[in-house]
Amino acid sequence: MRSRSLSTVARCATVVALVTTPAILAAPSAGAAGPARAAAAAATPEADFNKDGYADLAVSAPAGTVGGKAKAGYVAVVYGSASGTDTGHRQVIGQDAEGVPGDPEADARFGQRTVARDFDADGYTDLAVQSSGTPDVTVLWGSANGLSGGTALPKGEGDNFGASTIAGGDINGDGHADLVDVTQVSTGQDETSTALRVRFGPFTRDGAAAASATADTGKIFVPTTLTVGDVTGDGRDDVVSTHAFEEMSEPTQFWQGGTDGLVKSPTRLDDAASAAIGDVDKDGHADLIVRTVPGDVVENLPYDHGTVKVLYGTASGPSTTRTKVIDQNTPGVPGVNEDGDQFGYELSAGDVNGDGYADVAVGIPYEDIDSGKDAGSTVQLYGGAGGLSGTGAQAFTQDTAGVPGAGETGDHFGAAVRLGDTNGDGKAELAVGAPEEDGAQTSSGAAWVLRGKTGGLTTDGAVSFGPAALGGSEPNAALGTEFQR
């Protein structure tokens, strides 16, 4: 690995030094445990890489060219401030940056999944970055100046599935952030099985975990997604894994967290394609929100109008009897069910209006609007005493007044969504990605941030940016494919 400067990875623009400001509202600790955690509206803690009290946003461009390597990928970090997401304070980080392990590789897609937690327990949020290249998981370390340097996590003999998906949380409730990923374990007689692995924090700067534990998935195929949150309300995070193989989906698995890691016998739930966890009825048990798979056939998803299902949390996990189904024909939800819209393609939970109930952002990247087919949209659903509903729901597209830009065919606005409080006012902003948005170059991608207010999301002060505004490689970068989990 050659010497490189992390502060100069934004090659096309001057990097503005990060200014540390007094915290107006302290960001939740990545490792906080106990009743306060269980009652939190959103399961995912805020990312504060420079510990200034404002949440930051990591936006992936996994198809970006880095070091002349197509689809090597990079991650752009836009830092929060009193006025919200500030594109003047940003970093563009690929494997050509100083201290980042490895070198840019074609098709590595560095940043295809990112997880923000304080892995080394120093008070600064860190960012675990997944890649299909080498290494497959890198942790970029938080500091007063933002993310700086990185460490490749050790790869074991059974880690050939390690690049499938990663997630973060506090599985054993000890106040330290853990990393959940996928590995293989021996089942005897030269046979192996897929397993979920928890690497317990705190991590050392060499990448060593305090300990690790695995839970065998049995005959279920490799997870397609992992979602973490405290559904049971016991102060320990639980894990929900979705599964599929070829054209068929498989049952979703609920893994309860415990002092020694994940339970060995998960609970099977309905097949799902995407998931989020948040306490939409504020009862102290986080709820599971999923997009269902029509007919349990993955090949049906592109033709599906899309349905979101809420499985309300209980002390023993997601309820299979207290549930609610929401789609675009639900009263109050903007729009109408249309084949191929894929309502629920992406989901995120957070408290937009500051009332203590988790709200849910729903990505609909294949929705047709007046300005183009598959231009995409996003619907914001709100939680309340009765749970999630269509009451007060809002819809946003690039044609919505106050949203920068204009919708175009194939933009896929809503392919990524994330709720997080970037200005420290206690109300989550909505970040939306459109990876096929054309800037000066084709499919350069872009992201938008809409502010949260007491009355819901507003387009006042909306922010939009593409790779050029951040100093990143632009052609076919697909910025906005993913936000940190």
Side-chain angles (χ1 to χ4, degrees):
M1 180 177 67
R2 60 187 180 281
S3 177
R4 299 167 292 209
S5 173
L6 188 60
S7 63
T8 60
V9 292
R11 294 173 293 279
C12 301
T14 301
V15 175
V16 180
L18 295 174
V19 179
T20 301
T21 54
I24 291 179
L25 180 69
S29 167
R37 177 179 175 81
T44 304
E46 304 289 11
D48 190 1
F49 302 120
N50 58 347
K51 203 169 67 170
D52 65 352
Y54 301 106
D56 309 315
L57 186 67
V59 191
S60 295
T65 298
V66 178
K69 305 294 185 180
K71 298 182 181 178
Y74 62 84
V75 177
V77 177
V78 183
Y79 287 84
S81 70
S83 58
T85 304
D86 183 2
T87 57
H89 290 174
R90 82 275 184 176
Q91 292 175 288
V92 175
I93 305 171
Q95 286 185 283
D96 60 345
E98 181 179 2
V100 177
D103 289 291
E105 298 177 46
D107 299 313
R109 301 182 70 84
F110 182 83
Q112 61 186 351
R113 178 63 58 93
T114 59
V115 172
R117 295 292 190 282
D118 181 7
F119 290 112
D120 60 352
D122 66 351
Y124 295 92
T125 305
D126 312 304
L127 188 69
V129 182
Q130 194 174 46
S131 167
S132 295
T134 302
D136 59 358
V137 180
T138 299
V139 177
L140 306 175
W141 303 107
S143 73
N145 294 318
L147 294 176
S148 178
T151 300
L153 294 190
K155 188 170 182 176
E157 183 178 347
D159 287 359
N160 54 318
F161 285 154
S164 62
T165 188
I166 57 175
D170 184 6
I171 305 301
N172 59 359
D174 67 351
H176 296 297
D178 311 318
L179 186 70
V180 185
D181 62 3
V182 181
T183 187
Q184 284 186 322
V185 294
S186 174
T187 58
Q189 298 180 343
D190 296 324
E191 294 183 355
T192 59
S193 175
T194 303
L196 296 189
R197 174 178 53 187
V198 180
R199 296 194 234 195
F200 296 103
F203 288 70
T204 69
R205 285 297 180 100
D206 293 330
S212 66
T214 59
D216 189 354
T217 63
K219 295 182 179 180
I220 299 296
F221 285 98
V222 178
T224 53
T225 66
L226 298 174
T227 306
V228 176
D230 185 5
V231 176
T232 61
D234 64 356
R236 303 182 184 95
D237 274 332
D238 312 306
V239 176
V240 173
S241 58
T242 61
H243 302 262
F245 181 70
E246 295 181 344
E247 76 280 4
M248 301 300 296
S249 63
E250 293 190 307
T252 297
Q253 308 290 307
F254 172 74
W255 308 79
Q256 188 168 344
T259 55
D260 298 321
L262 298 174
V263 297
K264 304 303 182 184
S265 300
T267 301
R268 290 195 172 197
L269 304 171
D270 292 344
D271 296 21
S274 60
I277 293 177
D279 189 357
V280 299
D281 59 356
K282 203 166 64 173
D283 68 350
H285 300 287
D287 309 304
L288 174 63
I289 306 97
V290 301
R291 179 199 175 181
T292 59
V293 181
D296 298 340
V297 179
V298 172
E299 291 180 341
N300 289 340
L301 290 171
Y303 311 101
D304 180 35
H305 63 74
T307 300
V308 168
K309 185 174 183 178
V310 184
L311 290 78
Y312 288 95
T314 73
S316 58
S319 175
T320 57
T321 56
R322 187 186 169 214
T323 64
K324 179 164 185 144
V325 171
I326 298 175
D327 59 22
Q328 286 188 283
N329 284 350
T330 297
V333 177
V336 63
N337 287 347
E338 296 174 314
D339 290 345
D341 279 353
Q342 300 202 57
F343 180 85
Y345 180 93
E346 185 81 351
L347 300 164
S348 181
D351 186 2
V352 169
N353 52 12
D355 64 357
Y357 295 95
D359 310 309
V360 177
V362 182
I364 322 170
Y366 293 92
E367 183 155 50
D368 300 341
I369 61 176
D370 290 343
S371 55
K373 179 177 173 58
D374 296 343
S377 71
T378 300
V379 163
Q380 182 62 53
L381 302 175
Y382 289 90
L388 198 67
S389 73
T391 302
Q394 299 171 279
F396 298 90
T397 74
Q398 286 190 70
D399 290 348
T400 300
V403 175
E408 298 172 312
T409 296
D411 279 351
H412 298 150
F413 182 86
V417 292
R418 189 183 193 279
L419 293 172
D421 181 12
T422 60
N423 61 2
D425 67 352
K427 302 172 184 66
E429 277 69 58
L430 170 64
V432 182
E436 301 302 322
E437 169 81 4
D438 296 337
Q441 303 286 338
T442 301
S443 298
S444 55
W448 289 255
V449 181
L450 309 182
R451 293 174 181 243
K453 297 289 185 183
T454 301
L457 290 172
T458 178
T459 60
D460 293 343
V463 175
S464 175
F465 51 86
L470 306 178
S473 170
E474 187 167 11
N476 299 304
L479 183 79
T481 297
E482 175 80 18
F483 299 110
Q484 83 267 14
R485 303 295 177 114

